[in-house]
Amino acid sequence: MKKRIHLLAAYSTMLVLSILSTIVYAQPADTLHAPPPVLPGVYADPHIAAIGNKFYIYPTTDGTEGWMSTSFTCWSSPDLVKWKNEGVIFDLPSDLTWAKARAWAPAIAVKNNKYYYYYSADVNIGVAVADKPTGPFKDPLGKPLIKRGSRKGQMIDPMVFVDDDGAAYLYFGQGNCNVVKLNDDMISCDTSKIMSFRPEGYNEGPFVIKRKGIYYLMWSEYDTRDPRYSVAYATSRSPLGPFVKAQGPPVLKGKGVVKGAGHHSVVQVPGTDQWFIAYHRFKIPDGNGYNRETCISPMRFDADGRILPVNVFEKVKPVKIKVAK
């Protein structure tokens, strides 16, 4: 009898623990305490890259009504967690003759042992060149690479993808997505060969990666001032498309205290299949489309190559780049 009582007591205890465990794991995730931004202050439109043994972020300087910033900074990190401000690397009033404000959404590309910096300035797309990833960058053209009004929509948000064969493609545009192959000098192109298209839901911020032979074109949907701002993607077997939009939920979307998560970039840790997505969100607290902060989250793929939805509440752990000797 005593043995039965003990067995019943043990069973009851296990049942209670099981129920409690189920209740705990059934609770919704904490959406009120997001990880802090990786850069202090307000920065948006981050382009993240792995160069040498460091990671770099090239952002838009935020915090002005109408996005009237005039200069660009660069940030470096040995591990994606600790970031150093490398200072101003390009200043429109002193480094350009054709634009003085609206310094937006830069991007970096490496080729010919040079660093090519693409940026928006007064709704034109420019290019600058440097010998180091931290600059200083200089304007080699004295004019825009892509002039305002060249195509429908705004000539902003440049991104350059350098393929395995060394060919480089410039993606850009708000309203329409545009792509053109750059010449070998990386500072010129045949504008008559610009291809324009608009994937379903496309607004701005195109970004391209390549994984296992598949090209992923990613972009931001809605407006950056809209809390629903989010990231979608399409795939192709060619950097020029056609691209087929992926079905299902957005790759990146705000939740809870995180609002307006978008205008992203993606970095692959060299020599691995580890990927991270950098993006901005409304500043927490009291942020909006003019006061945004830069964040990083892990990005993963499923067995079929689909990009899994990003958890904007997952903290990034330190990652080192192993440089081959």
Side-chain angles (χ1 to χ4, degrees), residues 98-113:
W98 49 268
K100 301 302 179 186
R102 298 186 182 91
W104 303 342
I108 195 78
V110 185
K111 191 177 176 180
N112 309 325
N113 294 316

Side-chain angles (χ1 to χ4, degrees), residues 92 98-104 120-124 148 155-156:
L92 301 193
W98 49 268
K100 301 302 179 186
R102 298 186 182 91
W104 303 342
S120 309
D122 198 22
V123 200
N124 303 270
R148 184 175 188 168
M155 303 299 98
I156 61 172

Side-chain angles (χ1 to χ4, degrees), residues 31-182:
T31 61
L32 299 177
H33 302 89
V38 294
L39 304 184
V42 284
Y43 293 93
D45 313 327
H47 183 112
I48 190 169
I51 303 173
N53 64 350
K54 289 184 179 180
F55 297 97
Y56 293 86
I57 287 180
Y58 302 86
T60 296
T61 303
D62 223 15
T64 56
E65 189 82 13
W67 310 290
M68 295 301 293
S69 56
T70 60
S71 63
F72 293 105
T73 58
C74 170
W75 299 72
S76 66
S77 172
D79 60 4
L80 289 178
V81 175
K82 299 176 182 177
W83 290 90
K84 175 187 176 184
N85 188 350
E86 298 287 354
V88 173
I89 58 171
F90 197 64
D91 180 72
L92 301 193
S94 59
D95 295 330
L96 278 188
T97 59
W98 49 268
K100 301 302 179 186
R102 298 186 182 91
W104 303 342
I108 195 78
V110 185
K111 191 177 176 180
N112 309 325
N113 294 316
K114 296 283 187 179
Y115 299 90
Y116 298 90
Y117 189 70
Y118 303 86
Y119 56 91
S120 309
D122 198 22
V123 200
N124 303 270
I125 291 174
V127 59
V129 187
D131 294 321
K132 299 186 299 181
T134 54
F137 287 86
K138 300 297 180 183
D139 174 21
L141 299 178
K143 61 181 181 179
L145 172 61
I146 304 291
K147 292 182 180 180
R148 184 175 188 168
S150 297
R151 289 291 186 277
K152 286 184 178 180
Q154 297 187 78
M155 303 299 98
I156 61 172
D157 298 353
M159 182 271 166
V160 170
F161 170 75
V162 181
D163 210 345
D164 300 331
D165 61 0
Y169 301 87
L170 171 67
Y171 301 81
F172 62 95
Q174 183 275 334
N176 273 329
C177 183
N178 307 285
V179 57
V180 65
K181 187 176 181 180
L182 291 172

Side-chain angles (χ1 to χ4, degrees), residues 223-244:
D223 184 89
T224 190
R225 292 162 291 190
D226 191 324
R228 297 174 297 171
Y229 200 52
S230 52
V231 172
Y233 78 97
T235 57
S236 176
R237 286 286 180 177
S238 165
L240 297 174
F243 289 92
V244 177

